[in-house]
Amino acid sequence: GKYTKEDILKKVKEDDVEFIRLQFTDIFGDLKNVAITSSQIEKALDNKIMFDGSSIEGFARIEESDMYLYPDYDTYETFPWRPQQGKVARLICDVYKPDGTPFEGDPRYVLKRALAEAKEMGYTMNVGPECEFFLFQTDENGMPTTNTYERASYFDLGPLDFGENARRDMVLTLEQMGFEIEASHHEVAPAQHEIDFKYGEALRTADNIETFKLVVKTIAKRHGLCATFMPKPKYGVCGSGMHMNMSLQKDGKNIFADENDKLGLSQEAYWFIAGIMEHMKEMTAITNPLVNSYKRLVPGYEAPIYIAWSAKNRSPLIRIPSARGAGTRVELRCPDPTANPYLAMAVCLKAGLDGIKRQLPVPPSVDTNIFNLTAEEKKTRHIHSLPANLREATLAMSESDFMKEAVGSHIFERYTSAKMDEWNEYTRQVTDWEISNYLYKV
Ligand code: ADP
Ligand code: MG
Ligand code: MG
């Protein structure tokens, strides 16, 4: 690792840290904290800080609720937006049981387990996310709205772009926290933005996505705005996605590249793509976890609907960007920023590895616009759709042995049952759409 215990103790002193947040995420990807004062740091670094796991949804039952936090020293970072005297630092933690074994309900452990399997095959995984979000106005009580005064669009510059100052502040804050920002720009819809950071090893990137969301929300608030990662906050405009760019490395070399292939892709890359396609329907409840996620996956807004791949076209589920050499990657375009990044990466990696192990043949690429194909043509070309809603996605996951193994039975049971409850609660609502379409007419 980067830091030893002594390094952290020294940093905490040097940085004048007063509070330390020990962070982890629940199965839905929500960031949780146990806050300690710096007087407790040694105890924390010795893995002795405990919390009650039963207070966290989907985590543990009362009888088995004692959990321990094992900080990952390399994740030490201070929060630049907090006071510079008496600073606040964070450490991202793994969750362990009292018997000293990893807790199966910890999503970070699920990713680590998948990465260990890859390691056995000689691979490390790199991931680069492209995370989109909206910046909306807050009302006079500081409550979030879906209103915006701006009318800017893709790559527009200020003064049309009201969020520009906030976005610049976000980029600077992320850079202070060690992020390498590759791009930041206005997105297609009014008030929609994207900030891309450089790809890195999967576990680090999953940690970074959690930090990224915290920074974006915190800095937006400081600018009197509300940042939301909700996949489709507004009918009739583009939703927010989180494209996941993935590649595998062996001995420091990107193994998805092969100059001798006609598309410049290796056999492993084709198998990896085939594995993702094979398991995509079962994984969608993880990559697109909300009722609202499926309102983004509709025609007309650059979001994928069909399970297909292309190296030419920008719109299919799996796209192979034109970069080759170290930049050779598979881009999965369905995930949205509400996915638990640890679980999303774990299931994508497991699916890709399954493709490699079984040497699954990749279906032919679809380089034409799928939306122009007739139902008959899609059928003869075996082009399937993604699940249409959270119910279909959750059922597909529930019936999948692959998914049970990939996330472990603890998370599998709790996740699928929580998602089915979420769907059932949603379908029982009487919505504004129903009132405006039915109330006066019937
Ligand atoms: P797009 O063409 O879809 O707009 P971007 O250039 O915005 O793509 O984003 C590319 C993302 O892919 C960045 O996060 C970048 O760091 C990442 N990336 C580049 N090379 C690799 C690689 N070999 N493996 C994984 N991710 C990569
Ligand atoms: Mg983009
Ligand atoms: Mg992209």
Side-chain angles (χ1 to χ4, degrees), residues 174-404:
L174 288 163
E175 284 177 343
Q176 282 177 304
M177 295 184 78
F179 282 71
E180 192 175 323
I181 304 299
E182 289 191 327
S184 104
H185 57 81
H186 201 285
E187 261 299 340
V188 176
Q192 194 186 26
H193 300 265
E194 176 176 318
I195 300 176
D196 299 333
F197 53 92
K198 190 173 188 237
Y199 72 93
E201 192 276 321
L203 185 69
R204 220 37 88 206
T205 302
D207 288 343
N208 282 343
I209 290 171
E210 292 289 333
T211 305
F212 175 89
K213 291 204 268 186
L214 177 69
V215 169
V216 167
K217 284 199 163 273
T218 305
I219 303 300
K221 212 166 169 186
R222 299 209 137 189
H223 286 258
L225 296 165
C226 164
T228 182
F229 294 97
M230 188 172 169
K232 187 84 172 188
K234 275 196 160 173
Y235 171 75
V237 298
C238 282
S240 295
M242 186 181 71
H243 298 171
M244 266 172 58
N245 293 270
M246 300 175 277
S247 61
L248 294 181
Q249 264 189 345
K250 197 173 204 167
D251 306 321
K253 245 188 94 203
N254 185 336
I255 58 141
F256 279 0
D258 180 356
E259 294 162 5
N260 300 320
D261 176 68
K262 74 175 190 303
L263 292 178
L265 297 176
S266 69
Q267 186 59 70
E268 282 90 344
Y270 289 115
W271 288 330
F272 191 93
I273 296 167
I276 301 247
M277 289 177 74
E278 165 99 352
H279 295 295
M280 192 61 237
K281 284 185 195 176
E282 304 149 51
M283 313 192 310
T284 313
I286 296 287
T287 54
N288 303 77
L290 304 186
V291 165
N292 184 255
S293 298
Y294 297 84
K295 302 191 174 174
R296 169 179 162 254
L297 303 176
V298 297
Y301 301 98
E302 298 182 16
I305 289 141
Y306 300 105
I307 301 175
W309 74 280
S310 174
K312 299 208 169 71
N313 205 318
R314 278 193 77 88
S315 61
L317 175 72
I318 296 170
R319 171 183 158 235
I320 314 300
S322 53
R324 288 294 175 271
T328 312
R329 60 192 187 263
V330 170
E331 179 188 46
L332 185 66
R333 298 176 67 262
C334 67
D336 68 55
T338 60
N340 180 326
Y342 300 98
L343 297 182
M345 286 181 202
V347 297
C348 287
L349 176 59
K350 291 282 283 184
L353 293 181
D354 190 45
I356 293 175
K357 282 180 189 165
R358 290 163 58 195
Q359 308 197 343
L360 286 176
V362 72
S365 66
V366 180
D367 300 323
T368 51
N369 189 341
I370 304 174
F371 294 108
N372 295 338
L373 298 179
T374 63
E376 197 56 43
E377 284 168 325
K378 278 181 286 214
K379 204 170 162 201
T380 51
R381 294 172 75 164
H382 303 285
I383 300 173
H384 296 263
S385 303
L386 287 169
N389 54 45
L390 186 60
R391 177 186 152 81
E392 278 185 23
T394 305
L395 285 177
M397 178 170 167
S398 308
E399 287 158 9
S400 166
D401 291 334
F402 164 79
M403 286 299 289
K404 191 170 188 169

